[in-house]
Amino acid sequence: MYHTLEEALLDLEKNGDLIRIKEEVDPDLEMAAIQRRAYEENGPAILFENVKGSKYRAVANLYGSVERTKFLFRKTWDGVNDVIAMRDDPMSALKHPFKNATTGVSAVKALPMRLPSVKHSKLEEISLSDLPMIKSWPDDGGAFITLPQVYSEDPDKPGIMNANVGMYRVQLNGNEYVPNKEVGLHYQIHRGIGVHQAKAVKKGEPLKVSIFVGGPPAHTVAAVMPLPEGLSEMLFAGLLSGRRFRHSYEDGFMISHDADFVITGEIYPDDTKPEGPFGDHLGYYSLTHEFPVMHVHKVYARKDAIYPFTVVGRPPQEDTSFGDVIHELTGDAVKQELPGVKEVHAVDAAGVHPLLFAIGSERYTPFQPVKKPMELLTIANRILGFGQLSLAKYLFITADDDISTHDEAGFMQYVLERIDLSRDLHFQTNTTIDTLDYSGTGLNSGSKVIFAAYGDKLRDLSTKVPKPLKENKDIHNPQLVMPGVVSIELGDYANVEETEKQIERVTKQLANHQDLDGCPLIVVADDSSFVSETLSNFLWVTFTRSNPSHDMHGINSFTKHKHWGCDNVIIDARLKPHHAPPLIEDETIKANINRFFPLRTN
């Protein structure tokens, strides 16, 4: 396999899946716009050979398709699958001894290799400002590293095999950061580096951190893999690359000898600075907040280094393809970790974390017919308490072997046909949500709701806008989104008090209309035509712009014994004053990059 990132790029070029741009390109918005356009057009990987303001080359769209990503790992893919399967299901080794005979040997060969010092590498010391300073969106706070491998060790159990490698965004300049001496580290709750930092704070010590950029593509993938407990990211990187991770320590900092760039530094207790804004994977800007500042110790680069980058924005983006590959490698892990779970699908169009679809089991009373969700509720709580899945706001769950969570429209219709909205909605309030989600009540704070459906079909879903929604004078532009779902407009969102009065007035007008039985979900939007235009628009607007506890209302709603129910759910998915602004491209930049398209490999 590949010893360097450049070897991988040359292999793609030989396969007709990489082009070079020799013309000077501006890292301020222009390179990111080219990447977005290339991904949208299913284009090849792009090697920028002349980056304005930097002597280093940069590569984008490297993981822009599942096929390209799997091509990069074609020689080690099956072996890695075997190792992960063995971690998830150790009994498989006993069931298939000859198949698994070489797996242990492969793992031993992938163990990290420590070298004497950085002098034995091809790295040379540089300044932070020598890196390509790539800014993705007009209102970003500065340049960010978008494909970093952030390495930290457990202060209580130091050493590479207990280390964490994660992909946490790194702000290189802007805001209050001292040029060349400080960078911002933004990581979400539940991340491994947070555990390490908490331990360092308790000891009153700085946490030593190394940031690797580039190197064999396997090292980048290892930073985002949700690996089984006990399987080191460094070991996984060796398995996937087919070559041991080579490293040394310099001044107490881990140095990857295979990376194209290495930044070392320390995070001190209670030392934060404003970080952001930054265009994020929900399709909005994550705003400026206090996050840890890393004091830069040294920066290294290979003489011929290549800087990989991507663009984060409203799905689908390059990380969508990346995520598909990761799911293929680790999809069975969830079943092993969560008994009774058959499928969990984090819906990419809704920004991944806000919306989950799941299929579970109903085995509590095999001696009698099950007419309502029972075991499903236990499984739902397991899902919402598991790793990154715990950041979800909406969970739709059912139990059936004949449907798939990946048929998003079909799955949602299946749930809406069967859900008893007076019984099957279950809320968790004042809880944690995604750091990047601004629909809640504060940073990391919001609510969750479970839509659990099981049993016989209760309704036929409407295939046209019901008459009461068409004839109501307070409702504008009602549009059928999909069977059983209608989007409406009620004017701009004003404030909580006005909204409650507005929704209460409309729900009273709609109460007791039999014609609404086939429309269990109504979405209030700023632009219902946009919401109904595509399934992706519906999923994005509805589930990224609402907080269940505050924005879910109902026709004939009631509260009994602390349980809330209704006849028809109304989700207020309008933009609200506390929301982050959506990402909008610079039109001048979009026009300027037309000279590069269509991208061709010949």
Side-chain angles (χ1 to χ4, degrees):
M1 286 299 285
Y2 313 115
H3 292 181
T4 65
L5 175 57
E6 183 153 33
E7 285 184 12
L9 302 186
L10 291 172
D11 193 23
L12 287 178
E13 187 173 41
K14 194 186 305 180
N15 194 54
D17 210 7
L18 177 139
I19 66 155
R20 297 171 184 260
I21 293 181
K22 299 182 183 298
E23 178 182 335
E24 183 181 76
V25 184
D26 197 334
D28 186 5
L29 303 183
E30 197 169 62
M31 291 171 67
I34 292 170
Q35 192 280 332
R36 285 193 293 269
R37 177 90 171 265
Y39 179 80
E40 185 181 330
E41 297 185 3
N42 196 29
I46 307 166
L47 182 61
F48 296 90
E49 296 194 320
N50 191 353
V51 178
K52 184 178 180 180
S54 177
K55 69 176 183 180
Y56 295 107
R57 296 167 293 167
V59 64
N61 211 35
L62 184 58
Y63 310 100
S65 73
V66 172
E67 295 74 24
R68 180 152 62 247
T69 305
K70 292 181 74 170
F71 174 83
L72 290 170
F73 304 119
R74 63 194 182 280
K75 294 180 182 176
T76 57
W77 186 267
D78 290 341
V80 170
N81 261 319
D82 290 344
V83 170
I84 290 179
M86 195 163 70
R87 293 290 311 185
D88 291 341
D89 183 11
M91 290 302 292
S92 66
L94 298 177
K95 297 172 190 169
H96 308 286
F98 296 107
K99 177 185 175 185
N100 291 287
T102 60
T103 302
V105 177
S106 300
V108 170
K109 287 182 179 178
L111 286 170
M113 176 189 293
R114 182 166 179 172
L115 300 175
S117 77
V118 73
K119 294 174 184 176
H120 293 76
S121 73
K122 294 184 178 180
L123 296 169
E124 57 186 18
E125 197 169 339
I126 64 167
S127 293
L128 192 67
S129 57
D130 292 330
L131 274 63
M133 293 292 163
I134 298 172
K135 183 178 175 182
S136 297
W137 296 98
D139 292 331
D140 278 358
F144 287 80
I145 303 176
T146 50
L147 288 175
Q149 307 150 42
V150 182
Y151 175 95
S152 61
E153 295 187 5
D154 188 331
D156 294 337
K157 296 185 291 182
I160 191 169
M161 297 308 285
N162 294 315
N164 175 76
V165 182
M167 192 168 283
Y168 318 121
R169 77 179 189 231
V170 180
Q171 185 169 348
L172 293 172
N173 60 19
N175 296 356
E176 300 172 14
Y177 299 117
V178 178
N180 285 316
K181 294 184 178 179
E182 294 177 342
V183 299
L185 272 182
H186 177 122
Y187 58 82
Q188 295 161 265
I189 56 176
H190 299 305
R191 299 292 190 174
I193 190 174
V195 175
H196 291 173
Q197 190 183 358
K199 290 182 179 182
V201 168
K202 193 173 181 181
K203 289 172 173 278
E205 301 173 351
L207 180 69
K208 290 186 181 297
V209 174
S210 298
I211 300 168
F212 313 137
V213 185
H219 294 189
T220 300
V221 173
V224 291
M225 285 290 290
L227 296 172
E229 190 69 31
L231 181 55
S232 156
E233 284 101 348
M234 314 316 287
L235 178 61
F236 180 82
L239 287 168
L240 193 56
S241 66
R243 183 173 187 250
R244 298 174 73 177
F245 178 86
R246 303 180 312 141
H247 67 283
S248 64
Y249 284 85
E250 192 78 12
D251 304 326
F253 295 95
M254 156 71 78
I255 308 291
S256 166
H257 287 217
D258 297 313
D260 284 73
F261 299 91
V262 178
I263 305 168
T264 61
E266 292 179 311
I267 302 173
Y268 289 83
D270 304 319
D271 189 3
T272 63
K273 282 194 174 183
E275 185 268 358
F278 178 74
D280 66 44
H281 68 266
L282 294 182
Y284 308 88
Y285 285 99
S286 59
L287 303 180
T288 303
H289 296 285
E290 294 286 323
F291 275 95
V293 57
M294 186 176 103
H295 296 263
V296 175
H297 178 66
K298 288 182 180 178
V299 184
Y300 304 90
R302 297 174 67 92
K303 188 177 179 180
D304 57 351
I306 299 172
Y307 185 89
F309 75 96
T310 188
V311 179
V312 186
R314 180 191 163 184
Q317 297 287 345
E318 185 176 0
D319 55 0
T320 301
S321 304
F322 213 33
D324 288 344
V325 170
I326 290 168
H327 179 77
E328 189 170 334
L329 273 173
T330 63
D332 289 339
V334 172
K335 298 179 189 177
Q336 298 295 328
E337 295 280 352
L338 301 174
V341 173
K342 298 177 181 178
E343 277 186 34
V344 176
H345 173 46
V347 180
D348 184 68
V352 182
H353 288 316
L355 176 63
L356 299 178
F357 290 166
I359 297 174
S361 306
E362 276 296 353
R363 305 167 297 189
Y364 275 2
T365 54
F367 50 86
Q368 64 185 33
V370 179
K371 295 294 184 183
K372 64 179 183 178
M374 295 175 66
E375 187 186 8
L376 280 181
L377 300 182
T378 303
I379 292 169
N381 285 323
R382 284 189 191 129
I383 291 170
L384 292 179
F386 181 69
Q388 295 299 303
L389 300 181
S390 67
L391 302 180
K393 294 186 299 184
Y394 290 88
L395 170 59
F396 285 69
I397 187 169
T398 189
D400 194 303
D401 293 329
D402 296 326
I403 58 170
S404 168
T405 57
H406 294 274
D407 174 11
E408 293 166 348
F411 181 84
M412 182 164 272
Q413 288 174 45
Y414 184 92
V415 171
L416 293 178
E417 285 173 341
R418 286 161 178 78
I419 192 164
D420 181 342
L421 293 172
S422 68
R423 181 192 67 199
D424 296 338
L425 298 172
H426 304 274
F427 286 84
Q428 295 180 12
T429 60
N430 295 318
T431 186
T432 53
I433 61 173
D434 190 351
T435 304
L436 305 177
D437 191 331
Y438 287 87
S439 66
T441 52
L443 193 65
N444 300 326
S445 300
S447 62
K448 308 179 189 301
V449 66
I450 298 163
F451 284 69
Y454 188 73
D456 298 331
K457 182 176 172 181
L458 300 181
R459 63 181 65 82
D460 291 319
L461 300 178
S462 302
T463 54
K464 58 184 180 181
V465 176
K467 188 183 293 186
L469 300 181
K470 283 182 177 180
E471 297 178 348
N472 188 292
K473 65 181 181 197
D474 289 320
I475 292 174
H476 310 290
N477 194 23
Q479 297 285 334
L480 184 74
V481 176
M482 57 186 281
V485 181
V486 171
S487 177
I488 64 173
E489 296 172 16
L490 295 176
D492 293 339
Y493 182 92
N495 54 53
V496 174
E497 293 77 17
E498 289 299 317
T499 297
E500 286 182 353
K501 290 177 185 175
Q502 182 187 59
I503 298 286
E504 185 178 359
R505 183 172 66 249
V506 170
T507 54
K508 281 183 177 178
Q509 293 166 359
L510 297 175
N512 304 315
H513 272 285
Q514 296 298 315
D515 290 349
L516 289 175
D517 289 348
C519 186
L521 179 56
I522 300 167
V523 178
V524 182
D526 296 303
D527 183 349
S528 56
S529 295
F530 175 80
V531 170
S532 64
E533 186 179 330
T534 64
L535 177 66
S536 178
N537 286 355
F538 158 65
L539 295 170
W540 181 57
V541 169
T542 304
F543 299 106
T544 64
R545 299 183 183 179
S546 60
N547 176 19
S549 61
H550 288 55
D551 296 323
M552 274 180 60
H553 309 274
I555 297 173
N556 295 319
S557 64
F558 66 91
T559 303
K560 184 176 181 180
H561 304 311
K562 312 298 188 297
H563 180 84
W564 186 88
C566 63
D567 290 344
N568 312 77
V569 167
I570 298 174
I571 298 179
D572 188 344
R574 290 175 288 187
L575 281 171
K576 303 169 183 75
H578 61 280
H579 286 186
L583 299 174
I584 300 172
E585 291 198 72
D586 183 296
E587 292 300 322
T588 303
I589 297 292
K590 280 181 71 174
N592 285 347
I593 66 167
N594 283 335
R595 67 190 190 276
F596 295 109
F597 291 88
L599 290 170
R600 299 188 185 280
T601 56
N602 50 38

